[in-house]
Amino acid sequence: MPNMSYVMFENTSNDMQDLIDKMYEEGFHPDQLSKSERRYFDALYDQVTTMYDRLDELLEMMQQEEDERYEAEEARQEEYEMHKAIVGEQQADDDFHTFTRKD
C-alpha cells in the first residue's frame, strides 16, 4: 500500500526500525531468507546506500543555507552599525526597522 505523503517518512521510519530489530535478532542471517526476501534484502542495501548519500547531500545543503543566512545577517548588522555611526542610533533603528528594548 502506498504511503500518504504527509506520513511517508513516519511510516517508513517505523518499518525501517522493524527491519533493524529483525536483523539484530539472535540467529538472523540473510542466507536464511527466502529467495524473494533475499532479493529485497539486497535491494534494500542499495536503497539504504543511496539514501545515506542523499541525506548527506541534504545536510550539506542545509548547512550551506544556514551559513548564507548567517553571512547575510552579519552583513546587515555591519551595514546597520556603519549607518548608525553616520545618522545615530534612533535614525538607524528607524531606517532598519529594528526594535531595541529600553529596560
Side-chain angles (χ1 to χ4, degrees):
M1 174 192 316
N3 278 314
M4 301 304 290
S5 62
Y6 59 92
V7 292
M8 181 183 339
F9 288 95
E10 178 183 352
N11 290 344
T12 303
S13 177
N14 291 333
D15 292 340
M16 291 293 290
Q17 188 59 55
D18 290 345
L19 289 170
I20 291 167
D21 293 345
K22 181 66 176 174
M23 289 188 294
Y24 275 101
E25 283 182 3
E26 183 71 33
F28 174 82
H29 194 283
D31 289 341
Q32 294 173 343
L33 298 170
S34 69
K35 287 182 182 184
S36 173
E37 280 296 286
R38 180 56 195 251
R39 280 194 306 274
Y40 285 108
F41 177 89
D42 294 340
L44 184 63
Y45 179 86
D46 293 338
Q47 292 166 334
V48 168
T49 302
T50 300
M51 180 180 263
Y52 178 84
D53 292 343
R54 183 59 181 148
L55 287 170
D56 193 43
E57 291 170 359
L58 290 171
L59 289 174
E60 187 176 313
M61 178 191 69
M62 290 167 46
Q63 183 61 53
Q64 183 176 354
E65 289 171 350
E66 180 65 24
D67 291 347
E68 289 170 0
R69 280 192 296 274
Y70 177 78
E71 289 170 9
E73 181 57 34
E74 208 172 52
R76 181 168 167 76
Q77 184 63 32
E78 186 177 311
E79 183 181 0
Y80 166 78
E81 292 296 331
M82 289 187 332
H83 190 64
K84 181 172 80 170
I86 296 168
V87 300
E89 185 173 359
Q90 182 61 47
Q91 185 62 48
D93 287 349
D94 291 345
D95 293 344
F96 279 76
H97 308 292
T98 28
F99 303 98
T100 54
R101 292 179 56 174
K102 307 287 185 193
D103 291 342

